Amino acid sequence: MKFGKEFASQMVPEWQEAYMDYDYLKTLLKELQSFKHKKQPQGAPAGGLKRKLTLYRAFSGLTQKHHHHHHSPTSPDDIESQPILVSSVNNNGTQSYETTFLMSTDEGGEYELVYFRRLDDEFNKVDKFYRDKVQEVMKEADVLNKQMDALIAFRIKVENPQGISFDKSVEMTRLASDIAASAAAMSAATTPAGSRSASKKAPHLEAIEESIHGKADAADDDDKDGAKDRSIQIEEDKPTKPKIKPMRPAPLEVLDRVKMNNTLETPRSTIKGVLKVPNHTDLSFSKENLRKVEEQLKRVFVQFYHKLRLLKSYSFLNTLALSKIMKKYDKITSRNASKSYMKMVDNSYLGSSEEVTKLMERVENTFIKHFSNANRAKGMKILRPKIKRERHRISFSTGFFAGCVASLVLALIMIIRIRKIMDHQGRTIYMETMFPLYSLFGFVVLHMLMYAINIYYWRKYRVNYAFIFGFKQGTELGYREVLLVSFGLGAVALACVFSNLDMEMDPHTKQYKAFTELLPLILLLSVLIILFLPFNVLYRSSRFFLLTCLFHCLCAPLYKVTLPDFFLADQLTSQVQAFRSMEFYICYYFWGDFKHRENTCRDSHVYKTFYFIVAVLPYVCRFLQCLRRLFEEKDQVQGFNGLKYFLTIVAVCLRTAYGIYKGIGWRVIAWIVSAIAAIFCTYWDFVYDWGLLNRHSKNRWLRDKLLVPHKEVYFGAMGLNVLLRFAWHQTVLNFKLSLHPATLATIVASLEIIRRGMWNFFRLENEHLTNVGKYRAFKSVPLPFNYDEDDEKDD
């Protein structure tokens, strides 16, 4: 793989705008190369570095040894031969670097001048971004330091409730030194780094050090003093710094100014928020609370360590990209500029800063000691989860079940044709009873197939769907796993259909076979049992994540609305027919005579009432979520979004009423309201959910940034979305089609699921681009403790 593709694949997706634009710089070098080829006389050797003795390079290094001339770094010959001069510039307190090209009068010099200007812009952008991010993590380190102080004190209080006096300061963990030391270190870190050794002296980076009292402390101080004396003897030219003694508060004194944050979102916390009850509670020293605090801080440390790893990767990748692009420049121009430029990069903050590396080591030590019982292997497994490997058995199983589905579909078509099943008298009864039962699994399988396609294209266009949805790292399902589940369920459902194609009752018993008639119910119960299965099998993390989001949707607006919650609620709005099928399951098997395929469901007033309820339930959940966000965020857009779902609720109710009661009056009203709701929803899809229809965008009528390189895809998706949005109007317009009403309803519901799958891709693309614009690559994790001074700052 070429470095440009490898570089792009290793980027943090949300930070991609902050990385060096390697491709553009490469384009500038290609223009320079083409110019040199045009100006090169015919028959002259190709441009590039002069390579002598190319036929005798079996042992390089000896043949030209006597040609080496040793000059001092400051010799006049070296200065004259340098094509560039890199200097540090201070603009309004901001340090940047500027390259002066000393050979602009040479042929093609204007191309090289443009290249170095753009190279400086890219490097200064990278250096500033990295510096800002390091400052952010240093501030977070101070906050985590205070949280660890409170945790250790909390542990002491829980384990020794009687207040036995003993020295537990050895357990105190420091993420950084005191505030004065932190400020001194940050001021030192932001000054130009002349060498790597200067950055190593920053006291702030002695993070998470274990403080020791008594004799051990004295011995440690003696060792430090001895080491300091030795370092002074070696580096006499460096100014000595006053030794800053880190602050060591008594463990239990910290608890006097600390309260616990109620970070768990529950209906009770929502009611307290409405009543404006403070979200902080006094400390309750119990083992249960200690366990909760430790779990919270563990998640905070894992997230913080992940951020440090990404920062380290950011620094390494950009430094490597700078080295690669400068080598390309040297090769094209036959100059030796990379050495001077990379020396500047090594001395810059990006190249010389070691704050992140040191902080990572201290975080590892603290996490291993305090959260994994000093088990390094266990702690590092949590901090650095292994990348999930693609298993061949998943691909094989997916292919096997896909083959089963294709074979069963072909077999069903052949049997129906050969036996002429659709000509039997029991066809109508079958379509009114068994077909709605099995169509439920068809809707679920189709939705999972669309989700698998979404995942494939999200990965292809580097949409960080796992971060957007908030999946636990390493537990997100890939498209292969989703295809495996969908094809597996589809194969089992088709096998049940295949064994339950009886159109006539047994002439001896005058009833259908009880077992085959119960197959749909058995399959549904099996799926529900697997979904709620507590054992760590069949993607338990993903199943529980789905159940949690589903519970939050059903309990709206009592839970804080997050993207996974309202995204799932939107999916449920496209599964109205599936909910009606589940209602029919209950009525058919509990109040009907399934042995004779007889039921009075559609004549029951209770069934008709719930027919309305299950149809509007997903829209009601989504409407309540919009009201919750309107109340919390004070955003008028959420109010209009709620209005959209309210119109849809009215339209669904009117269409359902027309389907039950008929009549020209119901038909006209249902058509008008459905048209208004469809127009409103379509406009909302394009403008707010997809971020399109921007007239002033550089991609006219789309948006400035597009992940799919072909604009036709977006215009085609918009046209298809309009057609599928209005497909539901067929239920009102009643086009004369030679299809059973159940078949027609299933086709229309399937088209809506396909439309939702298409909507999913562009909705998450727009969300991803929003995160990219804000460099939002991390989720905020709530902290367990709240200090009194934090409240004073907020006030």
Side-chain angles (χ1 to χ4, degrees):
M1 183 184 291
K2 291 186 177 181
F3 176 74
K5 292 183 178 180
E6 182 69 22
F7 182 59
S9 66
Q10 295 294 330
M11 288 181 182
V12 180
E14 290 75 17
W15 290 354
Q16 58 187 1
E17 297 294 329
Y19 281 82
M20 191 187 85
D21 196 343
Y22 181 84
D23 290 335
Y24 182 74
L25 292 174
K26 192 175 177 181
T27 303
L28 294 179
L29 289 182
K30 286 182 179 179
E31 293 176 359
L32 174 61
Q33 187 177 29
S34 63
F35 174 80
K36 286 185 174 293
H37 280 308
K38 290 178 182 178
K39 295 296 182 180
Q40 185 178 1
Q42 292 184 357
L49 291 175
K50 295 179 180 179
R51 300 185 183 273
K52 297 181 180 180
L53 305 175
T54 55
L55 297 178
Y56 311 98
R57 295 178 61 193
F59 193 83
S60 59
L62 291 180
T63 55
Q64 294 180 330
K65 184 174 180 180
H66 59 279
H67 293 296
H68 288 175
H69 300 283
H70 298 282
H71 298 286
S72 62
T74 57
S75 65
D77 293 341
D78 277 355
I79 295 175
E80 291 178 2
S81 64
Q82 286 181 359
I84 61 172
L85 180 63
V86 187
S87 56
S88 176
V89 181
N90 197 338
N91 295 324
N92 299 324
T94 303
Q95 184 184 11
S96 60
Y97 296 89
E98 188 176 290
T99 303
T100 304
F101 182 56
L102 303 177
M103 299 182 179
S104 57
T105 57
D106 291 359
E107 191 174 32
E110 62 276 8
Y111 287 92
E112 298 179 60
L113 195 61
V114 171
Y115 164 77
F116 279 109
R117 285 178 180 173
R118 186 55 190 264
L119 181 65
D120 287 341
D121 292 340
E122 292 299 317
F123 175 73
N124 289 325
K125 175 188 72 175
V126 169
D127 188 68
K128 182 180 183 302
F129 180 83
Y130 182 71
R131 189 189 302 267
D132 293 341
K133 288 298 177 183
V134 171
Q135 290 179 0
E136 287 182 16
V137 297
M138 289 303 183
K139 292 177 181 177
E140 292 182 31
D142 288 332
V143 174
L144 277 180
N145 172 49
K146 296 167 67 176
Q147 294 290 318
M148 285 301 300
D149 285 346
L151 172 64
I152 302 302
F154 197 87
R155 277 179 178 170
I156 296 172
K157 194 72 175 177
V158 170
E159 295 173 1
N160 301 274
Q162 303 301 324
I164 302 174
S165 60
F166 59 94
D167 189 6
K168 275 280 184 176
S169 297
V170 68
E171 295 295 332
M172 295 302 291
T173 301
R174 306 299 295 170
L175 262 179
S177 54
D178 61 324
I179 302 302
S182 302
M186 286 309 302
S187 63
T190 53
T191 57
S195 64
R196 295 183 182 272
S197 60
S199 66
K200 292 180 182 179
K201 289 289 185 178
H204 192 290
L205 297 182
E206 297 304 320
I208 321 178
E209 63 178 0
E210 304 296 329
S211 55
I212 302 177
H213 289 270
K215 295 181 180 180
D217 189 23
D220 186 49
D221 289 340
D222 291 339
D223 292 339
K224 289 182 179 179
D225 291 338
K228 185 176 180 181
D229 292 339
R230 289 191 295 272
S231 65
I232 291 175
Q233 293 174 3
I234 296 172
E235 303 174 5
E236 293 180 353
D237 56 328
K238 294 185 178 180
T240 58
K241 297 181 181 179
K243 184 178 180 181
I244 302 174
K245 191 75 172 179
M247 184 171 56
R248 294 173 179 173
L252 299 182
E253 292 179 2
V254 177
L255 300 179
D256 296 336
R257 48 195 178 91
V258 168
K259 292 183 179 179
M260 288 189 67
N261 289 325
N262 292 328
T263 57
L264 184 62
E265 283 290 334
T266 60
R268 183 180 179 184
S269 64
T270 300
I271 296 173
K272 283 186 176 182
V274 174
L275 300 177
K276 297 183 179 181
V277 177
N279 201 30
H280 312 308
T281 58
D282 293 332
L283 297 178
S284 176
F285 302 104
S286 64
K287 290 188 177 180
E288 179 64 21
N289 282 342
L290 177 60
R291 185 189 62 80
K292 292 179 180 179
V293 168
E294 289 177 342
E295 287 296 323
Q296 278 186 272
L297 271 181
K298 184 185 291 187
R299 290 195 298 269
V300 173
F301 267 88
V302 170
Q303 183 77 350
F304 183 65
Y305 187 78
H306 179 59
K307 183 182 294 187
L308 294 176
R309 290 183 66 191
L310 292 185
L311 268 177
K312 187 176 181 180
S313 172
Y314 176 85
S315 172
F316 170 77
L317 280 177
N318 282 286
T319 304
L320 182 60
L322 287 165
S323 175
K324 291 282 186 181
I325 203 68
M326 286 305 301
K327 286 181 179 178
K328 284 184 178 293
Y329 170 81
D330 284 353
K331 183 178 180 180
I332 292 172
T333 61
S334 302
R335 305 190 193 279
N336 189 20
S338 60
K339 183 177 179 181
S340 301
Y341 201 88
M342 291 311 298
K343 183 178 180 181
M344 178 274 295
V345 172
D346 289 340
N347 291 333
S348 68
Y349 190 84
L350 178 72
S352 64
S353 172
E354 294 187 356
E355 283 92 336
V356 173
T357 303
K358 286 178 174 272
L359 198 53
M360 286 179 67
E361 294 175 358
R362 306 310 192 272
V363 170
E364 290 173 4
N365 294 335
T366 293
F367 189 87
I368 291 168
K369 179 175 181 180
H370 294 278
F371 297 103
S372 60
N373 199 22
N375 187 333
R376 181 172 183 81
K378 179 182 177 182
M380 294 307 297
K381 185 177 180 181
I382 298 173
L383 288 176
R384 297 192 179 194
K386 293 182 180 179
I387 299 175
K388 188 169 58 174
R389 296 189 307 172
E390 299 289 348
R391 299 180 181 272
H392 293 294
R393 66 184 182 189
I394 292 178
S395 300
F396 172 80
S397 302
T398 302
F400 173 76
F401 284 117
C404 291
V405 169
S407 301
L408 287 170
V409 169
L410 183 62
L412 280 173
I413 294 174
M414 293 179 63
I415 289 176
I416 291 173
R417 290 288 185 181
I418 294 173
R419 289 188 184 179
K420 297 181 180 181
I421 290 178
M422 300 310 293
D423 296 335
H424 291 185
Q425 294 180 353
R427 174 179 66 89
T428 303
I429 298 176
Y430 185 91
M431 293 300 297
E432 292 179 353
T433 55
M434 305 309 298
F435 186 79
L437 300 179
Y438 285 115
S439 63
L440 169 65
F441 303 104
F443 298 141
V444 175
V445 170
L446 178 60
H447 212 135
M448 285 195 293
L449 288 176
M450 295 303 299
Y451 181 59
I453 295 172
N454 288 149
I455 293 176
Y456 175 81
Y457 282 104
W458 285 333
R459 287 189 172 182
K460 180 178 180 179
Y461 294 109
R462 292 183 54 77
V463 175
N464 197 354
Y465 71 97
F467 167 73
I468 294 173
F469 287 136
F471 294 140
K472 186 179 178 181
Q473 190 175 5
T475 62
E476 69 276 7
L477 296 182
Y479 69 94
R480 289 185 178 88
E481 289 84 358
V482 179
L483 285 176
L484 173 61
V485 175
S486 59
F487 283 133
L489 178 59
V492 175
L494 285 172
C496 293
V497 174
F498 194 82
S499 60
N500 194 15
L501 279 176
D502 297 328
M503 295 295 168
E504 305 292 342
M505 288 187 288
D506 190 325
H508 299 289
T509 60
K510 300 297 181 181
Q511 63 183 15
Y512 295 94
K513 296 178 181 179
F515 177 74
T516 55
E517 295 300 303
L518 285 173
L519 281 178
L521 181 62
I522 294 173
L523 181 58
L524 178 62
L525 292 177
S526 300
V527 171
L528 292 177
I529 291 172
I530 293 174
L531 187 61
F532 287 92
L533 199 65
F535 306 112
N536 191 16
V537 293
L538 297 174
Y539 312 118
R540 182 181 65 174
S541 178
S542 298
R543 289 188 286 110
F544 282 13
F545 185 87
L546 173 64
L547 291 174
T548 301
C549 294
L550 181 61
F551 182 73
H552 289 176
C553 292
L554 296 176
C555 294
L558 297 178
Y559 284 91
K560 183 178 178 65
V561 182
T562 60
L563 188 142
D565 296 339
F566 70 73
F567 191 87
L568 178 60
D570 281 325
Q571 308 307 304
L572 297 180
T573 59
S574 297
Q575 288 284 5
V576 171
Q577 203 64 25
F579 286 113
R580 285 174 170 170
S581 296
M582 293 187 71
E583 179 194 5
F584 184 71
Y585 264 93
I586 298 173
C587 179
Y588 180 73
Y589 282 106
F590 291 95
W591 285 279
D593 185 4
F594 64 88
K595 292 182 180 180
H596 296 87
R597 292 183 182 173
E598 295 177 354
N599 68 89
T600 57
C601 294
R602 291 172 176 81
D603 298 329
S604 171
H605 293 290
V606 176
Y607 181 84
K608 291 179 180 178
T609 302
F610 277 94
Y611 202 69
F612 280 91
I613 294 175
V614 297
V616 301
L617 182 61
Y619 297 100
V620 170
C621 293
R622 193 67 187 89
F623 173 71
L624 293 176
Q625 287 178 340
C626 292
L627 293 184
R628 169 70 185 256
R629 295 186 67 183
L630 176 64
F631 175 79
E632 284 187 340
E633 303 171 11
K634 311 298 181 185
D635 187 2
Q636 293 182 353
V637 173
Q638 296 303 323
F640 290 112
N641 199 16
L643 178 61
K644 178 191 73 173
Y645 288 104
F646 179 77
L647 283 174
T648 308
I649 291 172
V650 176
V652 170
C653 289
L654 290 174
R655 284 202 301 262
T656 305
Y658 169 70
I660 295 177
Y661 303 112
K662 303 300 179 181
I664 189 64
W666 286 110
R667 181 179 181 179
V668 173
I669 297 174
W671 189 89
I672 293 174
V673 176
S674 297
I676 295 173
I679 293 172
F680 194 176
C681 292
T682 303
Y683 175 79
W684 196 274
D685 288 343
F686 295 159
V687 176
Y688 291 96
D689 291 338
W690 294 1
L692 304 178
L693 292 184
N694 187 352
R695 188 175 60 179
H696 302 291
S697 169
K698 64 181 181 181
N699 301 308
R700 191 167 179 80
W701 297 112
L702 299 177
R703 63 171 108 86
D704 290 338
K705 295 179 182 179
L706 303 174
L707 294 184
V708 182
H710 307 290
K711 298 180 183 178
E712 300 82 6
V713 173
Y714 293 91
F715 290 110
M718 286 192 287
L720 189 59
N721 187 72
V722 172
L723 292 177
L724 297 179
R725 271 283 186 191
F726 284 86
W728 279 107
H729 282 249
Q730 199 283 329
T731 58
V732 179
L733 297 175
N734 284 336
F735 293 121
K736 300 299 181 181
L737 299 173
S738 59
L739 292 173
H740 192 277
T743 304
L744 185 59
T746 301
I747 292 174
V748 173
S750 300
L751 291 176
E752 168 60 19
I753 294 173
I754 294 173
R755 186 201 69 82
R756 179 60 64 184
M758 182 181 64
W759 178 91
N760 290 342
F761 174 81
F762 296 104
R763 175 66 182 88
L764 231 65
E765 179 201 21
N766 189 36
E767 184 70 22
H768 172 75
L769 292 175
T770 301
N771 291 338
V772 170
K774 298 179 180 179
Y775 302 109
R776 189 191 303 155
F778 308 101
K779 299 283 186 181
S780 59
V781 182
L783 298 172
F785 295 110
N786 183 73
Y787 280 76
D788 294 340
E789 54 264 32
D790 295 335
D791 289 336
E792 293 174 1
K793 290 179 183 178
D794 295 338
D795 295 338

